[in-house]
């Protein structure tokens, strides 16, 4: 049987596909654009998620990892697109899983710290009172995944991921994109803008940490979630100043970072918690997240030195 | 300008329409079935909510009170109907408000204690981890109403209502229907079944209390909600035993109540909190809820003695 990954051409999807293939899984990668690589025993389905759902999720599908989404700034700028992809698209995916003629597949849904409102500290029990459309859409997704699981239509699980840093590649429309840019660009000798002040604290996970969390979330026994199929994934609380200190320890020049306040970004990112209690994740066996030096070192090795881990 | 009430033929809708008309408002009552009475300056639009939305919400609409819903047991028994009405129907209503060619209307949405998971005590900050499809659908509605408000498409507000008792009329598909039946039926000399044991504590509001909360929620300044457009409405925590003691004080015979455990009802109602912190509602000026004797006395006066309050 196979594991379907939506949004598989993204950096997390690509890495997850590689990791799962190395574990002997047959992956079905779905995206609008072609991924950099498809594992030898994997397949790629190109196209709009809704149009390709019947081919992407079949009786052969034992699990779905749903990474496809309109990101935070994108969802804030285009209300209809955000709801269309992040809510209506997810709903159609869940309905396809419900009607798939096999046993209920495992569905791993990626939510975000953006589901929380303006609070500096969040636990798994914090209210989901989001201050952005993206956070609202993710919070709705958590509710749907839990209810479809409760009804036995899927074996669902939601991971609330921290902001990912250092995200490789070109900037995207995530409001938190700067959290990668202020490390990634100076490491390549390029200037970067930081919309928040240096004392601001962010809740981060490295790509390595996020992939480890996804793999654990996929294979962990669903009952370990308890009554509600959602968990805050491990991360680290780190100030922008500490991120830039790590940049310097890895040979980057922090003077390449220009501090330019951006009220649009501050309104979105500033509403996200910076400190988390992840005791539920820890009790469920999720591995701890990399510290900032490990995150920067891994980026340097993989993206700049070409070491494939 | 006028105020549209969906689900207006229900007992809360009918009473709210009367109260608003007495305040000089012009009400537009919408429902599948005809209401008992339409105020002199009001109108009635009969039909499916989606089919009648364009007529129900117009440039003349200054506010919408959305009471139409599939209730708890109904939504649990028919998954598609529950999502179709409680989520898709609400979404279409919000979209109609967004496109209505007047200033953004006030939208009062009624949510429920069912949004909370299995916890004995709830505050406005408790997580919405519902253990039923109805609770899930209401929690999604809260998120949508807040996000549409944040974007300026509506002036939205959500009231999380307690279980209503004593609800007049015939039993409906609410899992909590027994909370009215064990008072209403014996007061008329009819036997009633109670699926929970006498020590069980419920979170209740009388119809009078619920209507007062709806009126206050409709007219209160939206900014009073703070960052998130949702509030737990006032109620009372009362045991079934105390309800039956009140029944006897009002001339009812508690021996007409048969205790017959029902795992389906226990699974839904047993997951709802019985005790609440309503300090946000109190600070916002919502009136305190009637005690159980006032609730029973009002039912006797209005429904059995024909006194119109």
């Amino acid at each position: 049987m196979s594991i379907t990954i939506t949004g598989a051409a993204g950096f997390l999807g690509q890495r997850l596909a590689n990791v799962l293939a190395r574990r002997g899984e047959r992956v079905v990668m779905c995206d609008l654009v072609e991924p950099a690589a498809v594992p030898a025993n994997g397949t790629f389905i190109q196209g709009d998620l809704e149009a390709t759902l019947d081919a992407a999720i079949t009786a052969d599908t034992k699990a779905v990892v749903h990474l496809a989404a309109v990101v935070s700034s994108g969802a804030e700028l285009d209300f209809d697109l955000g709801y269309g992809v992040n809510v209506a698209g997810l709903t159609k995916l869940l309905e396809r899983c419900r009607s798939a003629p096999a046993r209920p597949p495992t569905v791993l849904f990626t939510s975000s710290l953006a589901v929380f409102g303006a609070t500096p500290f969040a636990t798994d029990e914090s209210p989901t009172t989001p201050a952005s459309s993206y956070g609202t859409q993710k919070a709705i997704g958590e509710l749907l995944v839990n209810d479809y699981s409760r009804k036995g239509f899927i074996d669902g699980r939601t991971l609330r991921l921290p902001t990912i840093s250092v995200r490789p590649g070109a900037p995207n429309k995530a409001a938190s994109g700067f959290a990668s840019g202020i490390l990634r660009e100076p490491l390549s000798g390029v200037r970067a803008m930081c919309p928040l002040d240096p004392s601001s604290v962010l809740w981060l996970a490295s790509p390595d940490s996020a992939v480890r969390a996804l793999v654990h979330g996929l294979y962990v026994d669903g009952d370990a979630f308890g009554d509600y199929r959602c968990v805050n994934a491990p991360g680290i609380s780190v100030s922008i100043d500490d991120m830039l200190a790590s940049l310097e320890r890895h040979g980057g020049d922090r003077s390449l970072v220009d501090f330019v306040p951006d009220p649009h970004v501050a309104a979105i990112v500033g509403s996200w918690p910076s400190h988390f209690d992840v005791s539920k994740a820890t009790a469920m066996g999720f591995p701890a997240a990399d510290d900032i030096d490990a995150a920067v070192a891994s980026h340097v090795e993989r993206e700049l030195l070409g070491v494939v881990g």
Side-chain angles (χ1 to χ4, degrees), chain A residues 131-212:
Chain A
S132 66
S133 290
Y134 176 73
T136 302
Q137 292 149 12
K138 287 295 188 183
I140 290 172
E142 294 179 357
L143 286 159
L144 291 172
V145 166
N146 185 70
D147 203 38
Y148 274 70
S149 298
R150 197 184 55 79
K151 296 292 278 189
F153 301 153
I154 60 170
D155 175 5
R157 46 281 301 278
T158 292
L159 279 192
R160 288 181 185 140
L161 293 179
T163 294
I164 307 296
S165 176
V166 184
R167 186 188 169 283
N172 68 359
K173 283 189 180 165
S176 55
F178 75 89
S180 291
I182 61 172
L183 298 171
R184 183 182 59 223
E185 317 314 359
L187 284 168
S188 301
V190 175
R191 299 202 74 82
M193 288 212 286
C194 183
L196 303 185
D197 79 61
S199 67
S200 305
V201 176
L202 304 176
W203 175 244
L204 301 182
S206 69
D208 292 337
S209 299
V211 170
R212 281 197 301 265

Side-chain angles (χ1 to χ4, degrees), chain A residues 277-290:
Chain A
D277 173 352
V278 294
S279 51
K280 180 175 176 180
T282 305
M284 289 175 69
F286 282 91
D290 292 338

Side-chain angles (χ1 to χ4, degrees), chain A residues 6 24 30 38 46 110 122 160 170 172 197 205 250 255 286 292-293 307:
Chain A
T6 74
C30 303
V38 179
Q46 184 161 18
T110 47
R160 288 181 185 140
N172 68 359
D197 79 61
H250 291 84
S255 73
F286 282 91
I292 189 64
D293 280 335
V307 178

